[in-house]
Amino acid sequence: MVKQERAARTRETLIRSAAEVFDREGFSAASLSVISSRAGVSNGALHFHFENKAALADVVEAEALIRLRAVSNAGPPAGAGRVQLLVDATQGLAAALRRDVVLRAGFSLNGETVRTVRVDLREHWRRWVEEAVKHAESEGELRPEVAAQDVVTAVVAATVGFEVLGVRDAEWLSTATVGRFWRLLLPTLVPKTALSDVRVEGTRSP
């Protein structure tokens, strides 16, 4: 039991260390010896858990998907609608990208062209946004002249853009930046009478 717990801790440490190195250096430049050294284990211990760098990257992406689902699967706040849920999720994603290196590395690995992506985080996010917008439309929260697919396109393009730009400048992932995007989009999205009901900074605790 003690050995299993120690092995699980070592594996978790290696995943985080790999995420930190992938986040900083990218997949191609990342070195397994640097990852193992950062984790405080030998190369042999690393290879006991992961066959190669590609396998390690696959696991980082899978762990990143768990974190992305935690952001997107949270239900709407009490008394709020689907549009507020959409705002909350985009703010939540930005906040998670700022603080969670595993999620950040997962998105970064998705953008690598030198390897096969097994877990498409951006596609998972696009599908979630599409579902959220459909619910908002069916519940009458959108202006009747608004095309749901146009909303999906705008939200996905903006949030993925924030994620990419945030790699170099975290201000793109700030609550204020995401809030400005929603402040610009909401008047074209929801009826004027509903504007004051939506909090662009989100309703979730930081």
Side-chain angles (χ1 to χ4, degrees), residues 11-24:
R11 188 176 186 276
E12 289 172 6
T13 302
L14 282 166
I15 292 170
R16 181 167 184 85
S17 298
E20 290 169 350
V21 176
F22 289 145
D23 182 50
R24 187 179 67 244

Side-chain angles (χ1 to χ4, degrees), residues 65-77:
L65 179 59
I66 292 172
R67 288 155 165 78
L68 178 58
R69 282 175 171 158
V71 170
S72 59
N73 288 353

Side-chain angles (χ1 to χ4, degrees), residues 63-76 84-100 103 107 124-125 128-129 159 204:
E63 290 291 327
L65 179 59
I66 292 172
R67 288 155 165 78
L68 178 58
R69 282 175 171 158
V71 170
S72 59
N73 288 353
Q84 184 66 65
L85 173 62
L86 196 55
V87 173
D88 284 2
T90 57
Q91 288 285 12
L93 176 59
L97 285 166
R98 289 197 309 270
R99 65 173 181 262
D100 190 337
L103 180 62
F107 272 99
H124 175 88
W125 174 246
W128 183 87
V129 171
T159 49
R204 297 177 187 173

Side-chain angles (χ1 to χ4, degrees), residues 62-145:
E63 290 291 327
L65 179 59
I66 292 172
R67 288 155 165 78
L68 178 58
R69 282 175 171 158
V71 170
S72 59
N73 288 353
R82 296 288 177 168
V83 171
Q84 184 66 65
L85 173 62
L86 196 55
V87 173
D88 284 2
T90 57
Q91 288 285 12
L93 176 59
L97 285 166
R98 289 197 309 270
R99 65 173 181 262
D100 190 337
V101 70
V102 174
L103 180 62
R104 206 162 54 242
F107 272 99
S108 176
L109 287 166
N110 270 191
E112 296 275 2
T113 58
V114 296
R115 54 179 293 275
T116 301
V117 173
R118 300 189 183 280
V119 179
D120 193 334
L121 300 173
R122 294 185 178 112
E123 177 59 18
H124 175 88
W125 174 246
R126 185 200 64 76
R127 290 198 305 267
W128 183 87
V129 171
E130 190 171 58
E131 191 68 19
V133 171
K134 283 181 181 177
H135 280 298
E137 182 181 45
S138 66
E139 292 172 20
E141 292 188 34
L142 305 184
R143 286 176 177 268
E145 69 273 18

Side-chain angles (χ1 to χ4, degrees), residues 175-195:
T175 301
T177 297
V178 179
R180 282 195 293 272
F181 161 72
W182 280 111
R183 199 170 287 113
L184 180 68
L185 183 64
L186 281 173
T188 68
L189 186 64
V190 301
K192 188 175 181 180
T193 53
L195 273 177

